[in-house]
Amino acid sequence: ATERTLSIIKPDAVAKNAIGDIIARFEHAGLRVVAAKMLHLSEDKAGGFYAEHKERPFFNDLVGFMTSGPVVVQVLEGEDAIAKNRDLMGATNPKEAAAGTIRADFAETIDANAVHGSDSAESAEREISYFFGNDEICPR
Ligand code: CMP
């Protein structure tokens, strides 16, 4: 089915000037960018986004990293967009990510792992509405 998912190009990948290379991978896999913006997240905005991880030992480092520089937040649309994006990203830990995935090619550590992608339909809905109003999404 046609789905939407939230993608974030994280500060490490933006700093590497890899925004275009990463979006090209989405487009070449048949996903369409239907919304996008660059943001420098505040602690509150990043902490709210990762609220489900609040009690995890890595939460403070995660928020610190996600606020360390600008990110590019996008809504990707396409057939099986949620799973397709996760396949393109590879495992959360770049050291375990399959060859040819975004994290294998652009990331070094589990914190600075280049991209985020929604992990389920429920997360996608919450994450998309966390960053975008309906009037900011352009179906195509
Ligand atoms: P992301 O998909 O954005 O979701 C939460 C992030 O926390 C994850 O990518 C990693 O960058 C980061 N993180 C750091 N340590 C861990 C860990 N042990 N398990 C999962 N995520 C972690």
Side-chain angles (χ1 to χ4, degrees):
T2 299
E3 294 174 342
R4 288 178 179 172
T5 190
L6 186 88
S7 164
I8 304 178
I9 301 176
K10 296 189 180 187
D12 57 320
V14 173
K16 282 183 179 164
N17 227 13
I19 297 167
D21 285 345
I22 291 173
I23 291 179
R25 293 195 179 202
F26 299 144
E27 293 189 333
H28 292 158
L31 297 174
R32 301 177 293 280
V33 177
V34 295
K37 56 186 155 191
M38 185 175 244
L39 297 167
H40 195 139
L41 299 176
S42 65
E43 270 188 38
D44 278 358
K45 190 81 180 172
F49 181 74
Y50 284 118
E52 64 179 306
H53 296 307
K54 212 169 174 60
E55 306 306 326
R56 307 284 288 275
F58 57 82
F59 180 76
N60 285 344
D61 285 347
L62 173 61
V63 170
F65 175 67
M66 290 300 287
T67 57
S68 67
V71 299
V72 178
V73 189
Q74 318 118 74
V75 178
L76 305 176
E77 184 181 83
E79 187 69 18
D80 291 326
I82 297 164
K84 195 174 274 184
N85 182 38
R86 292 184 72 79
D87 286 348
L88 292 168
M89 290 193 297
T92 304
N93 185 346
K95 293 181 172 66
E96 293 163 8
T101 60
I102 293 169
R103 283 167 171 158
D105 291 344
F106 294 100
E108 320 298 334
T109 69
I110 194 165
D111 293 301
N113 66 350
V115 280
H116 168 84
S118 308
D119 65 4
S120 67
E122 296 69 37
S123 304
E125 196 174 325
R126 181 186 82 81
E127 293 177 1
I128 290 168
S129 62
Y130 191 79
F131 284 110
F132 295 98
N134 268 333
D135 61 343
E136 294 178 295
I137 302 175
C138 305
R140 29 182 297 229

